[in-house]
Amino acid sequence: MKATKQSGTDGRESEPPIVPEKEGNAIRADPLEGRGGRSTESLEGKVTGESSPKNTSTKLQWVAKVSRERPQMVWTTLAHHIDIEWLREAYQRVRKDGAAGVDGVTAARYAEKLEENLESLLARFKTGQYRAPPVRRTYIPKDKGRRRPIGIPTFEDKVLQRAVVMLLEAVYEQDFLDCSYGFRPGRSAHQALERLRGGMMEMWGGYVVEIDIESFFDMLDHGILRDMLDKRMRDGVLRRAIGKWLTAGVLEDGEVRRAEKGSPQGGVISPLLANIYLHEVLDQWFEREVRPRMRGRSWMVRYADDAVFVFEHEEDARRVLEVLPKRFARFGLRLHPEKTRLVPFKSPGRRFGARTGRGGNRPKSFDFLGFTHYWALSRSNYDVIKRKTSKKRLSMALRRIAEWCRRNRHRPVREQHRELSRKVRGHYAYYGIQGNMRSLGLFLHEVYNLWRKWLGRRSWKAQMSWERFGRLRTQYPMPTPYLAAIRAARP
């Protein structure tokens, strides 16, 4: 049966209630949930007809295809795609080693009656009887002794949120722009870093505008977000569930606090809602309104709520920097006045007419996604942009290692070595990029020092001399620094 167009309340094309069916292939797991590699194939789909899809994979491809071909269409019926098979796929994509929520139910306990639990979840979701429980508040350390609040949903909540995210990704991935890299299928922080470095090398640098949004996830305006969702998706079942998650509240110190703004960090749905919000606040605005008015080349790279703009001319950069606070204020957001800044980042040779040498006047550096970007000389004596682990991220990583060693110094050395090796490899997996070997070596050196320090404090007589630690280090060596991400493929 052919799908027919319907008119929405604002004149936009709306989605027909009849759903096609067609066989398809299964989707691999989502790396954002820690379950291996997900297919990097775009959700634009390869389905050529409009016959009814039956399984999860083909449903996703069909929804993506229709969304791509009809960018002005408003989806009014989407929730019927979510069935018991869909929830099983969502369950497979959810991390099983995460902390339990307010109900204390772990993944293992939930799996004991998996089919029964999923059937109950689906029925409550479709009938509107599902109640989103409050998230459990915890904190992770930041720089300068500060802590970042994280919300931990219940495991069942994670499953349902993942199911909804799978469906909404198929719609919004067709709308999101290439400048956005955060929490999207087939995109990564390394790709964002490579795009930033490659683009600046082509221009021999430029003028970089760093922005820092103050407490973005706490300041996200629910009313504005609903208006944004209205432009593309008005399914009542999905919108009701999203509204419940936004207003579920946070459990902290035995008290549930409900907020009129914000989306708790840590929820499966929060990154997608953040991308929808910033897509309109920042991405579309910059591409459609800002870039055409610039005298020279300009572009931006955004990863979640971290973004940088690059301009060929300083005048363009200053104009945008001046208007940015007003733009964000329209949507209930604030920019940090000290962390939002303009950084001259022209190549030294081009900027000053002649090379000034390693000790001469050099352009400033800037940080993005945990790396400090700076100009340096290559082995061939050319100006190149290099990246190293930022001081803030390095010190934060070492503080976490020190805290872990302090809390676990009573455990057997073999177990400590296994866990520390896993943490070191995790550090290499992100920071192991070309040109950052010195920072990786410094990190490993400090990890050894911290391990020796806390092994020497296992008791009042457990002294750990350097000679003794050298023998232990030989017996239990840490992974040597390596480049885990030599060069990410450009999108």
Side-chain angles (χ1 to χ4, degrees):
M1 183 175 291
K2 294 291 183 181
T4 58
K5 298 180 181 179
Q6 294 181 342
S7 176
T9 57
D10 59 353
R12 294 167 63 94
E13 179 185 344
S14 64
E15 181 261 348
I18 299 176
V19 185
E21 295 183 2
K22 188 169 181 178
E23 299 291 343
N25 300 319
I27 289 180
R28 288 180 283 175
D30 187 349
L32 296 181
E33 290 296 339
R35 293 190 56 81
R38 182 182 195 174
S39 173
T40 58
E41 182 181 16
S42 171
L43 285 176
E44 293 179 357
K46 295 183 178 179
V47 181
T48 57
E50 290 193 352
S51 57
S52 302
K54 292 182 179 179
N55 64 15
T56 302
S57 174
T58 312
K59 289 177 184 178
L60 285 170
Q61 296 291 335
W62 184 83
V63 171
K65 175 181 179 291
V66 175
S67 299
R68 173 174 55 87
E69 294 178 349
R70 305 175 185 176
Q72 298 300 317
M73 186 183 73
V74 181
W75 288 92
T76 57
T77 55
L78 274 173
H80 58 271
H81 290 297
I82 299 179
D83 53 18
I84 192 63
E85 180 186 351
W86 192 291
L87 287 183
R88 290 194 197 103
E89 178 65 24
Y91 167 80
Q92 293 298 327
R93 298 189 185 192
V94 174
R95 287 182 57 182
K96 308 302 187 295
D97 58 348
V102 295
D103 60 357
V105 177
T106 62
R109 181 179 169 187
Y110 193 83
E112 292 175 359
K113 298 181 179 180
L114 181 60
E115 290 301 315
E116 180 181 337
N117 289 331
L118 293 182
E119 291 282 0
S120 172
L121 176 61
L122 180 63
R124 285 178 283 135
F125 168 66
K126 291 295 183 69
T127 60
Q129 295 178 344
Y130 181 79
R131 293 188 177 184
V135 298
R136 181 168 65 86
R137 176 76 82 197
T138 187
Y139 294 88
I140 60 175
K142 290 183 63 176
D143 58 311
K144 298 180 180 179
R146 296 182 300 169
R147 299 186 302 167
R148 181 191 299 274
I150 296 292
I152 302 178
T154 64
F155 184 79
E156 185 176 65
D157 218 22
K158 292 178 184 179
V159 173
L160 186 56
Q161 288 190 27
R162 174 53 60 191
V164 172
V165 166
M166 288 162 53
L167 189 55
L168 295 186
E169 275 184 349
V171 176
Y172 283 99
E173 277 297 312
Q174 318 314 314
D175 300 339
F176 291 156
L177 303 181
D178 287 339
C179 59
S180 170
Y181 290 86
F183 304 104
R184 295 180 56 190
R187 288 177 168 246
S188 67
H190 288 131
Q191 288 181 339
L193 290 164
E194 188 61 28
R195 171 69 182 98
L196 179 61
R197 181 183 183 276
M200 288 193 296
M201 286 297 298
E202 292 177 4
M203 291 172 47
W204 288 101
Y207 296 89
V208 177
V209 174
E210 291 182 89
I211 68 170
D212 183 271
I213 307 175
E214 285 188 308
S215 304
F216 168 71
F217 285 92
D218 295 332
M219 299 300 296
L220 192 146
D221 190 286
H222 295 174
I224 296 176
L225 177 61
R226 293 189 191 99
D227 293 339
M228 294 178 179
L229 291 172
D230 281 341
K231 298 178 181 179
R232 199 64 159 124
M233 192 271 295
R234 296 178 184 169
D235 183 286
V237 177
L238 295 179
R239 294 294 295 273
R240 182 168 58 239
I242 293 174
K244 290 179 180 179
W245 288 322
L246 290 175
T247 59
V250 175
L251 178 64
E252 187 174 11
D253 299 328
E255 180 181 354
V256 177
R257 300 181 177 90
R258 305 186 186 275
E260 298 179 356
K261 293 184 178 181
S263 177
Q265 288 182 266
V268 178
I269 194 74
S270 293
L272 178 61
L273 296 180
N275 274 333
I276 294 172
Y277 204 87
L278 291 176
H279 169 71
E280 183 163 334
V281 174
L282 198 57
D283 302 355
Q284 283 189 328
W285 170 73
F286 184 79
E287 291 295 327
R288 297 178 180 179
E289 300 184 30
V290 175
R291 288 190 65 185
R293 293 178 170 86
M294 299 292 98
R295 289 198 310 116
R297 289 175 290 177
S298 62
W299 42 278
M300 66 169 286
V301 176
R302 180 177 68 81
Y303 189 91
D305 59 332
D306 293 324
V308 293
F309 304 86
V310 181
F311 301 90
E312 186 176 10
H313 300 302
E314 184 177 6
E315 177 187 354
D316 291 339
R318 294 195 177 279
R319 288 170 57 194
V320 173
L321 182 61
E322 182 179 354
V323 75
L324 274 174
K326 302 175 185 177
R327 173 67 183 178
F328 278 88
R330 285 182 54 190
F331 297 89
L333 302 175
R334 295 192 305 268
L335 292 178
H336 196 290
E338 297 178 359
K339 296 181 180 180
T340 300
R341 58 174 187 149
L342 170 62
V343 181
F345 201 70
K346 279 289 187 181
S347 168
R350 291 174 62 89
R351 185 181 183 192
F352 302 111
R355 183 167 301 286
T356 57
R358 293 183 182 273
N361 189 17
R362 311 293 285 180
K364 295 181 179 180
S365 62
F366 69 94
D367 292 348
F368 183 59
L369 297 182
F371 291 90
T372 297
H373 296 67
Y374 63 99
W375 284 100
L377 288 176
S378 69
R379 293 182 179 180
S380 302
N381 209 35
Y382 287 104
D383 280 327
V384 294
I385 297 174
K386 291 190 176 183
R387 297 160 296 182
K388 62 182 179 181
T389 309
S390 67
K391 293 181 179 178
K392 182 173 70 174
R393 291 292 187 92
L394 182 59
S395 61
M396 188 185 306
L398 291 174
R399 282 200 300 270
R400 291 177 180 174
I401 293 291
E403 180 64 16
W404 188 91
C405 290
R406 184 183 72 85
R407 291 180 178 273
N408 295 273
R409 62 185 185 270
H410 62 282
R411 296 172 61 179
V413 173
R414 185 184 299 274
E415 292 184 10
Q416 292 188 43
H417 172 258
R418 183 173 60 250
E419 290 298 319
L420 286 175
S421 296
R422 185 180 62 84
K423 295 178 182 297
V424 168
R425 280 192 294 268
H427 186 87
Y428 295 164
Y430 183 74
Y431 293 101
I433 65 173
Q434 193 171 10
N436 196 34
M437 287 297 292
R438 178 178 294 183
S439 294
L440 297 184
L442 176 60
F443 174 77
L444 178 61
H445 176 76
E446 292 299 327
V447 168
Y448 273 127
N449 287 343
L450 290 169
W451 194 23
R452 172 188 170 272
K453 171 184 175 180
W454 289 106
L455 284 176
R457 298 188 181 185
R458 288 157 69 96
S459 70
W460 66 271
K461 59 180 179 180
Q463 298 299 321
M464 178 65 68
S465 66
W466 282 107
E467 181 181 358
R468 181 184 173 191
F469 183 72
R471 294 194 299 269
L472 183 143
R473 178 173 170 174
T474 302
Q475 184 178 0
Y476 298 103
M478 295 289 179
T480 56
Y482 59 88
L483 301 183
I486 297 178
R487 181 176 292 271
R490 295 185 184 182

